[in-house]
């Protein structure tokens, strides 16, 4: 069997606080004495003993929580960084879209960067010329084609980056979560492009938190957890196992202090979350259209200036439903003193169809400074309701949201369709 990618016992180790800049002999000598008597550097294994193969023409989904090692794995495959141990064999040319604008020269125009990227892939000018118009049409940046990349918006860089990566005939395409910043129309174009690559025998590795996109695009998925492969198999089965860990973590309640998989400085952290009815009593279940309160408990270990509290709801397949924050609402908090407290978010009507939804939380400051980031730390179980007062229950088969509406009927001779 032909494989585009073969990975054996791959590991990547980082030392916290380690720098890689060149030093003079004098600086190296001074640093040697500085380290005398200090504690040894803390070792972090971003990827540990990973082995897998990817067949020619396969689209492989890679899933896992933030910080699990997914992006590090793609950087190792694309040789942006090098492995501590292990072997990687990749057949053919690799194109990667790991960050917005990766590989672009900021001072060059969009046109010049297209030719630069093609040259890096080993293509001749004639080959790039043949694909040039397709790249420009896909990216929709023709008006700004001769403008330096540094003046492009994030969305423009993303569109051009993906167009270049997909149209310059790479044998292997590595795509990270950057598609999340594109609009719905662009995401659909990208997914269709990756699906077309599969039919032409090219290989795609697709990292995403959008489980619906992974299941739709990939027949196989790998779940990365703490740098290791937790499960490798059919996309639907792997996704189901991955999502089950979120619901299992909620059986003990919503004591957020026990959650280890979190990011941030910790100057202020969430300690708990409660869902309350309007009268203040706890509620584990929320009905479609309910008015309810989300109470977020926190503890500050030092004075925090201008914190922003954030709340996000996603479906069980990772589709973003809504993102709310004190900053977006204009609810400014000048400062929080050391100690404990809570903040309430009151939602007038949660017009979600019955299903299980996940909640992610964060606290940020200007910069941005990340104080606490919790992914899928709680769940909301929305139950059916007679939302329209018709004696008929809502169901997830009717969509994602329930929209308040009224129907009107007019059967008369004056009711004519406009010509």
């Amino acid at each position: 069997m032909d494989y585009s990618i073969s990975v054996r016992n791959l590991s990547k180790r980082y030392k916290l606080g380690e720098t890689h800049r060149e030093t003079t002999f004098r600086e190296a000598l001074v640093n040697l004495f500085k380290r005398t008597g200090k504690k040894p550097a803390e070792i972090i294994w971003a990827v540990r003993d990973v082995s897998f193969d990817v067949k020619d023409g396969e689209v492989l989904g890679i899933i896992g929580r933030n910080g699990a090692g997914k992006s590090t794995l793609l950087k190792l495959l694309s040789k942006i960084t090098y492995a501590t141990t292990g072997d990687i064999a990749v057949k053919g040319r690799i194109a990667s879209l790991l960050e917005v604008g990766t590989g672009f020269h900021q001072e060059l125009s969009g046109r010049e960067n297209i030719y630069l990227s093609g040259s890096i892939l080993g293509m001749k000018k004639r080959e790039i010329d043949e694909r040039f118009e397709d790249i420009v049409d896909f990216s929709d940046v023709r008006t700004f084609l001769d403008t330096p990349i540094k003046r492009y918006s994030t969305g423009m860089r993303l569109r051009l980056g993906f167009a270049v990566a997909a149209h310059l005939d790479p044998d292997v395409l590595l795509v990270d979560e950057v598609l999340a910043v594109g609009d719905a129309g662009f995401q659909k174009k990208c997914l269709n492009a990756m699906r077309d690559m599969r039919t032409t025998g090219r290989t795609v590795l697709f990292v995403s938190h959008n489980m619906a996109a992974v299941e739709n695009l990939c027949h196989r998925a790998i779940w990365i957890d703490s740098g290791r492969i937790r499960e490798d198999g059919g996309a639907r089965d792997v996704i189901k196992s991955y999502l089950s860990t979120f619901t299992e973590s909620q059986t003990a309640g919503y004591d957020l202090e026990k959650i280890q998989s979190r990011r941030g400085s910790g100057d202020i952290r969430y300690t708990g979350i409660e869902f309350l009815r309007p009268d203040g009593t706890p509620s584990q279940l929320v009905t479609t259209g309910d008015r309810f309160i989300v109470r977020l408990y926190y503890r500050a270990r030092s004075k925090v200036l201008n914190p922003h509290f954030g709340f996000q709801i996603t479906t069980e397949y990772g589709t973003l439903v809504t993102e709310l924050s004190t900053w977006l609402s204009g609810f400014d908090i000048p400062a929080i003193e050391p100690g404990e407290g809570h903040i309430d978010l009151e939602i007038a009507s949660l017009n979600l169809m019955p299903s299980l939804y996940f909640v992610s939380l964060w606290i940020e400051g200007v910069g941005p400074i990340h104080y606490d980031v919790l992914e899928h730390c709680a769940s909301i179980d929305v139950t059916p309701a007679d939302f329209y007062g018709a004696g008929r229950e809502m169901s997830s088969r009717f969509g994602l949201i329930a929209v308040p509406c009224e129907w009107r009927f007019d059967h008369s001779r004056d009711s004519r369709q406009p010509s």
Side-chain angles (χ1 to χ4, degrees):
M1 185 176 293
D2 292 330
Y3 293 110
S4 291
I5 301 173
S6 291
V7 175
R8 292 291 176 271
N9 306 313
L10 188 66
S11 297
K12 177 62 180 179
R13 180 187 65 189
Y14 291 101
K15 291 182 180 179
L16 294 187
E18 184 180 56
T19 60
H20 298 280
R21 70 180 183 89
E22 297 292 332
T23 59
T24 64
F25 175 77
R26 179 180 178 181
E27 289 172 331
L29 191 61
V30 170
N31 289 337
L32 178 65
F33 283 104
K34 279 184 178 179
R35 286 194 290 268
T36 304
K38 284 191 175 183
K39 296 187 296 183
E42 185 178 352
I43 301 298
I44 297 294
W45 290 92
V47 174
R48 193 71 184 265
D49 298 327
V50 168
S51 298
F52 64 92
D53 296 308
V54 186
K55 294 183 292 185
D56 290 347
E58 185 174 12
V59 180
L60 173 67
I62 301 178
I63 63 175
R65 292 176 183 259
N66 287 333
K70 308 183 298 298
S71 296
T72 300
L73 176 59
L74 293 197
K75 288 178 180 177
L76 291 169
L77 293 174
S78 58
K79 296 184 180 179
I80 291 176
T81 187
Y82 290 90
T84 304
T85 61
D87 299 302
I88 301 172
V90 180
K91 184 174 66 177
R93 298 185 300 202
I94 298 179
S96 57
L97 192 62
L98 309 185
E99 295 176 5
V100 176
T102 298
F104 285 156
H105 191 295
Q106 300 303 306
E107 299 297 331
L108 298 181
S109 68
R111 183 190 304 274
E112 292 166 331
N113 270 289
I114 292 174
Y115 282 94
L116 175 63
S117 298
S119 299
I120 291 172
L121 286 173
M123 300 181 68
K124 297 178 181 178
K125 183 178 182 298
R126 174 179 51 79
E127 296 176 297
I128 303 173
D129 287 339
E130 292 172 355
R131 297 163 179 81
F132 185 83
E133 288 301 318
D134 291 336
I135 292 172
V136 175
D137 288 342
F138 189 98
S139 63
D140 195 25
V141 296
R142 186 179 297 276
T143 305
F144 306 95
L145 202 54
D146 294 306
T147 301
I149 286 287
K150 65 182 181 181
R151 295 196 174 94
Y152 280 28
S153 67
T154 299
M156 291 165 61
R157 294 186 191 203
L158 172 64
R159 294 198 302 273
L160 184 60
F162 188 90
V164 168
H167 287 83
L168 292 183
D169 282 351
D171 299 295
V172 177
L173 177 62
L174 310 179
V175 183
D176 204 346
E177 189 61 51
V178 290
L179 294 185
V181 305
D183 59 33
F186 178 70
Q187 289 181 28
K188 185 176 180 179
K189 286 172 65 174
C190 291
L191 293 174
N192 288 337
M194 287 188 280
R195 193 176 291 110
D196 291 341
M197 292 183 70
R198 179 177 61 194
T199 62
T200 56
R202 288 176 287 174
T203 303
V204 179
L205 265 65
F206 179 46
V207 169
S208 181
H209 287 292
N210 189 325
M211 297 299 106
V214 173
E215 184 176 348
N216 179 265
L217 186 66
C218 311
H219 295 306
R220 174 185 167 208
I222 290 177
W223 170 15
I224 303 289
D225 186 23
S226 300
R228 299 177 184 268
I229 293 181
R230 178 87 169 259
E231 190 171 335
D232 181 350
R236 178 169 293 185
D237 294 334
V238 174
I239 290 171
K240 185 176 180 181
S241 299
Y242 170 62
L243 294 176
S244 69
T245 62
F246 295 127
T247 54
E248 287 171 3
S249 66
Q250 302 313 310
T251 56
Y254 300 108
D255 183 359
L256 303 183
E257 289 190 287
K258 297 180 180 179
I259 296 179
Q260 300 298 316
S261 55
R262 64 203 304 162
R263 296 181 291 116
S265 67
D267 292 338
I268 181 171
R269 300 181 73 176
Y270 287 111
T271 59
I273 181 173
E274 274 189 308
F275 299 112
L276 308 174
R277 299 184 183 92
D279 62 2
T281 58
S283 175
Q284 292 298 322
L285 299 179
V286 178
T287 302
T288 299
D290 268 3
R291 185 184 193 93
F292 78 113
I293 298 169
V294 182
R295 177 159 292 174
L296 303 171
Y297 295 90
Y298 65 83
R299 179 184 298 117
R301 68 185 185 189
S302 60
K303 185 174 182 177
V304 177
L305 300 177
N306 302 309
H308 306 316
F309 290 78
F311 173 86
Q312 185 184 82
I313 299 178
T314 58
T315 67
E316 60 179 339
Y317 280 93
T319 301
L320 176 63
V321 176
T322 188
E323 185 172 292
L324 307 171
S325 68
T326 53
W327 175 84
L328 187 62
S329 302
F331 186 79
D332 297 325
I333 305 172
I336 290 182
E337 300 292 337
E340 298 182 351
H342 71 263
I343 184 169
D344 287 349
L345 167 64
E346 185 167 355
I347 297 177
S349 179
L350 189 71
N351 297 337
L352 291 178
M353 292 293 188
S355 189
L356 182 68
Y357 300 87
F358 291 111
V359 170
S360 298
L361 304 172
W362 70 91
I363 307 175
E364 293 181 349
V366 177
I369 302 169
H370 301 286
Y371 297 118
D372 197 18
V373 181
L374 293 168
E375 179 189 2
H376 291 193
C377 59
S379 61
I380 301 176
D381 193 358
V382 180
T383 58
D386 184 11
F387 185 78
Y388 293 112
R392 296 161 187 169
E393 288 189 343
M394 306 298 294
S395 169
S396 58
R397 68 187 177 92
F398 296 117
L400 190 62
I401 62 171
V403 179
C405 66
E406 292 182 4
W407 290 91
R408 295 183 180 88
F409 180 67
D410 185 358
H411 182 70
S412 66
R413 293 179 179 179
D414 294 332
S415 181
R416 298 174 183 174
Q417 183 176 335
S419 58

